Amino acid sequence: MNPPIRKAVFPVAGLGTRFLPATKAMPKEMLTVVDRPLIQYVVDEAREAGIEHFVFVTGRNKTVIEDHFDVQVELELTLNERGKTIALEELRRDMPLPGQTSYTRQQAPLGLGHAVLCARELIGNEPFALLLPDVLIQGEKGCLAQMIEAYNASGGNVIAVEETEPEKTSSYGVVGVGEGDDRVFSITEMVEKPEPGTAPSNLIITGRYILQPEIFPLLLRQERGTGGEIQLTDAMIQLMKTQPFTGVRFEGRTFDCGSKSGFLAANVAYALARPDIAPAFRDELRRIIMTAS
Ligand code: UTP
């Protein structure tokens, strides 16, 4: 049997330059989609998939993320005094259990690969999940839960992929498709930002991974790649030489909340999926669209 995936890493140490000045003093991962910070959505997705330990790789200005996943005693007392029991219950439901969170610092934002490397002592010698908090995936079943299903059957490393238009593949990591079916298949190769016309498929890597601990020594040895950063894809390409990788074409809709348009689209889509907000918001949205064009 494959060892269970118990731990998840959330890299939250990036500079979020595309969202300046919003991210000057506040981490990008605390930007809100409707009324929840981005990081809460991905932690919820991990918890639903059975993750028991949440490892955050933080940087400067990120203590607010630790505060978010801690008890706010004064707030709870006030809500209690005012009889706001539903709000209080919701806050408590979102809280990880005692001892379920760990934080480590990435001292300089040297790239995603480096952020993952910073979690090595907290992960130890077991496979783990990696979720990028600026990628939200909306769907009936969480993306990580779908990946763990595939992992339980295949073991090894698992990567979430989705289709994009062929002309856009040069902006992403792209995978080559081997044996399997339309939804779950073995990955034959990985290319980071392929030259136009050379991509092995139109399936791109999408911000959710299940990785074996053998990735850590490879990251440790990894030279700095594109943009002077330690790239996760470069280490995964090395790991592919000795271990299998499975691609999961998940069901769900992705929002790249690291880009302004993706973030705004996520707010619209998540608001329209909320029965308490959707009716009023839909009317408002219609009015805006009619008068804006
Ligand atoms: P991004 O490249 O999307 O985030 O990394 P960024 O660098 O913060 O954003 P821009 O491009 O400057 O606007 C994806 C995830 O990896 C984390 C980020 O915090 C984000 O959640 N990350 C990135 C790190 O933790 N450390 C890094 O060195 C780089």
Side-chain angles (χ1 to χ4, degrees):
M1 216 173 86
N2 299 308
I5 307 298
R6 302 184 310 119
K7 297 181 183 177
V9 174
F10 303 88
V12 292
L15 296 177
T17 53
R18 285 170 291 169
F19 266 99
L20 284 169
T23 47
K24 191 176 165 197
M26 186 187 68
K28 173 170 77 173
E29 297 78 11
M30 287 301 288
L31 291 172
T32 50
V33 167
V34 186
D35 52 9
R36 298 166 81 68
L38 287 172
I39 189 71
Q40 184 73 57
Y41 287 93
V42 275
V43 163
D44 290 348
E45 181 187 328
R47 193 193 282 125
E48 274 165 36
I51 297 297
E52 296 164 5
H53 199 103
F54 307 89
V55 176
F56 299 89
V57 181
T58 68
R60 278 182 284 281
N61 287 338
K62 307 278 181 161
T63 47
V64 63
I65 293 177
E66 286 186 47
D67 293 341
H68 178 76
F69 289 108
D70 198 0
V71 178
Q72 302 295 320
V73 180
E74 277 177 27
L75 175 65
E76 292 207 1
L77 284 173
T78 311
L79 289 175
N80 200 25
E81 271 165 25
R82 296 189 184 169
K84 297 203 179 281
T85 42
I86 294 177
L88 192 55
E89 273 166 27
E90 281 175 357
L91 279 186
R92 289 189 175 151
R93 193 197 52 206
D94 291 342
M95 279 278 294
L97 297 174
Q100 275 193 324
T101 50
S102 295
Y103 298 88
T104 186
R105 283 270 177 125
Q106 185 188 22
Q107 289 152 336
L110 296 178
L112 177 59
H114 184 257
V116 175
L117 178 62
C118 292
R120 68 191 183 284
E121 292 295 330
L122 294 167
I123 295 298
N125 193 26
E126 58 180 287
F128 63 98
L130 167 65
L131 296 94
L132 303 196
D134 51 2
V135 176
L136 290 194
I137 301 174
Q138 189 185 39
E140 256 171 50
K141 187 169 191 175
C143 177
L144 186 63
Q146 297 177 47
M147 292 168 72
I148 287 184
E149 242 174 52
Y151 166 83
N152 288 339
S154 67
N157 303 270
V158 181
I159 296 184
V161 298
E162 69 176 333
E163 213 171 315
T164 191
E165 286 117 65
E167 59 276 15
K168 290 194 181 156
T169 49
S170 53
S171 307
Y172 299 94
V174 185
V175 300
V177 180
E179 277 179 24
D181 56 35
D182 199 37
R183 226 180 67 73
V184 181
F185 54 87
S186 68
I187 292 176
T188 54
E189 62 176 308
M190 248 178 254
V191 195
E192 188 61 35
K193 301 191 175 60
E195 295 288 320
T198 65
S201 75
N202 59 348
L203 294 176
I204 57 169
I205 299 175
T206 315
R208 301 287 186 273
Y209 313 75
I210 291 171
L211 295 169
Q212 296 294 322
E214 286 76 18
I215 195 79
F216 293 126
L218 295 171
L219 284 168
L220 202 57
R221 285 202 299 272
Q222 194 69 53
E223 304 269 321
R224 292 196 192 187
T226 322
E229 297 191 335
I230 295 181
Q231 300 288 344
L232 178 66
T233 311
D234 291 343
M236 292 196 301
I237 291 169
Q238 292 301 316
L239 189 57
M240 268 192 77
K241 292 178 184 162
T242 54
Q243 290 191 3
F245 273 73
T246 300
V248 172
R249 243 174 103 158
F250 55 91
E251 281 166 21
R253 184 165 175 190
T254 309
F255 297 94
D256 172 11
C257 294
S259 79
K260 287 177 189 128
S261 60
F263 173 73
L264 293 171
N267 265 288
V268 173
Y270 279 77
L272 290 175
R274 280 271 296 265
D276 57 331
I277 301 169
F281 180 62
R282 192 173 284 115
D283 290 347
E284 200 68 52
L285 199 57
R286 265 200 208 105
R287 264 199 298 277
I288 295 171
I289 290 170
M290 264 155 40
T291 49
S293 52

